[in-house]
Amino acid sequence: MIPNGRKQCRSRCQVECADSAEMEKMVEINGKTRVCGLIGYPVEHTLSPVIHNTLAGLLGHDLVYVPFPARPGSVKDAVRGADALQILGLNVTVPYKSEVMDSLQEIDTLAGNIGAVNTLVRTEGGYKGYNTDMEGLYRAMQSEDIKIEKERIILLGAGGAARAVAHLCALKGADTVYMLNRTLDKAEQVADEVNRMTGRNVICPILLQEYHRIPEGRYLAVQGTSVGLAPHDDMVVISDPAFYKRVHTGFDLIYNPWETRFMQLVKAHGGRAYNGLKMLLYQGIIAYELWNDVQVTKKDAQVVYERLKAHFGVS
Ligand code: ATR
């Protein structure tokens, strides 16, 4: 029930957001409406339309954002088709962040180093690929006053997501990153690659169950594995209290569930803990800024964040 005098927001989230709704303009699709979208498989559960369609409304842009399911094997055709249709920009999600790189005109250096692209911007001769996930994580951390520079960090995982976090930490001047993974080989590969690139031994690979080898001290811990993702809410890679006593801040890249087991354990041992929703928010905002050559204000970012939160029943 929406109280009198309040408007219901347009982005299908069915929440009352009177202030923002009053500032927003409806996008009425016409002959000049620009289209952005998402390619991935599947895409049914994406929250990206909430981010981009809300921003278009807040900024009064004549733009709509649409998810496009691209069947396995169809990514090249999807990118070529998008170019032919003059689609302004695309996000790219699982499972195509690496595969899409073969279909691009140009790749930004950071995305090339990470080996994953999540944002395409249309240029004269085709699309240019960027990785806004990492800069998104960085902005999310900045917004919570979490420092990477000169920090000693524990990074759980060595898959696609954790690999990108390792690059970010090295790039932003972390002191040391202890990369814990169930498969040591993978952590060693990432360490070789990142350490060679930065010219210093910033990434230190350790087998997951040997976490006690991490030197004494209190750390920022980034949870970059897929363990704990809904519906497996009660799972966590490490449950030993001795580990959590070393964590002053925990950042889980997962945002579904809202509070992961990892976050609960960090908090139970006196640390502060954050989920990955702000990372999702800022990767989207950076993509929107690239497509539209604008700077999104903190105030507008907050409006979008509130809408995203509403999807989790959190106020
Ligand atoms: P993403 O793109 O989300 O990073 P991914 O590349 O498949 O997905 O990586 C998943 C990460 O979660 C890996 O670090 C994986 O460890 P392995 O490299 O040993 O496979 C980690 N992971 C997944 N299931 C795990 C489990 N049950 N225990 C510990 N680590 C797990």
Side-chain angles (χ1 to χ4, degrees), residues 94 156-163 180-184 186 208 224-227 235 237:
V94 178
L156 300 173
R163 205 168 153 276
L180 303 178
N181 201 44
R182 178 179 62 175
T183 314
L184 183 61
K186 278 206 219 165
L208 183 62
T225 77
S226 46
V227 180
M235 304 275 283
V237 268

Side-chain angles (χ1 to χ4, degrees), residues 131-162:
N131 186 309
T132 71
D133 284 330
M134 284 311 99
E135 202 54 35
L137 173 61
Y138 188 60
R139 277 206 212 174
M141 286 184 163
Q142 280 183 316
S143 79
E144 306 289 7
D145 279 332
I146 302 172
K147 248 180 71 219
I148 292 184
E149 294 82 358
K150 301 196 175 87
E151 279 290 304
R152 294 198 302 167
I153 298 168
I154 296 171
L155 174 54
L156 300 173

Side-chain angles (χ1 to χ4, degrees), residues 54-201:
T54 300
L55 286 173
L58 287 169
L59 297 170
H61 288 161
D62 188 4
L63 180 152
V64 291
Y65 183 95
V66 191
F68 299 110
R71 285 216 176 77
S74 70
V75 173
K76 256 199 170 72
D77 288 343
V79 173
R80 204 178 306 133
D83 188 31
L85 296 172
Q86 302 192 16
I87 288 178
L88 174 66
L90 288 168
N91 282 138
V92 182
T93 189
V94 178
Y96 301 130
K97 288 186 184 186
S98 299
E99 189 183 334
V100 76
M101 293 171 85
D102 290 338
S103 306
L104 306 178
Q105 164 81 6
E106 196 183 341
I107 295 172
D108 172 66
T109 312
L110 175 66
N113 290 343
I114 293 171
V117 156
N118 79 319
T119 299
L120 312 187
V121 179
R122 191 164 181 272
T123 64
E124 272 298 301
Y127 286 96
K128 178 170 178 181
Y130 295 84
N131 186 309
T132 71
D133 284 330
M134 284 311 99
E135 202 54 35
L137 173 61
Y138 188 60
R139 277 206 212 174
M141 286 184 163
Q142 280 183 316
S143 79
E144 306 289 7
D145 279 332
I146 302 172
K147 248 180 71 219
I148 292 184
E149 294 82 358
K150 301 196 175 87
E151 279 290 304
R152 294 198 302 167
I153 298 168
I154 296 171
L155 174 54
L156 300 173
R163 205 168 153 276
V165 178
H167 274 273
L168 176 76
C169 292
L171 196 75
K172 300 293 184 188
D175 178 89
T176 312
V177 177
Y178 297 96
M179 183 178 230
L180 303 178
N181 201 44
R182 178 179 62 175
T183 314
L184 183 61
D185 276 9
K186 278 206 219 165
E188 285 176 341
Q189 267 175 35
V190 175
D192 279 355
E193 179 189 309
V194 177
N195 292 345
R196 204 175 319 117
M197 206 171 294
T198 50
R200 64 189 183 100
N201 281 338

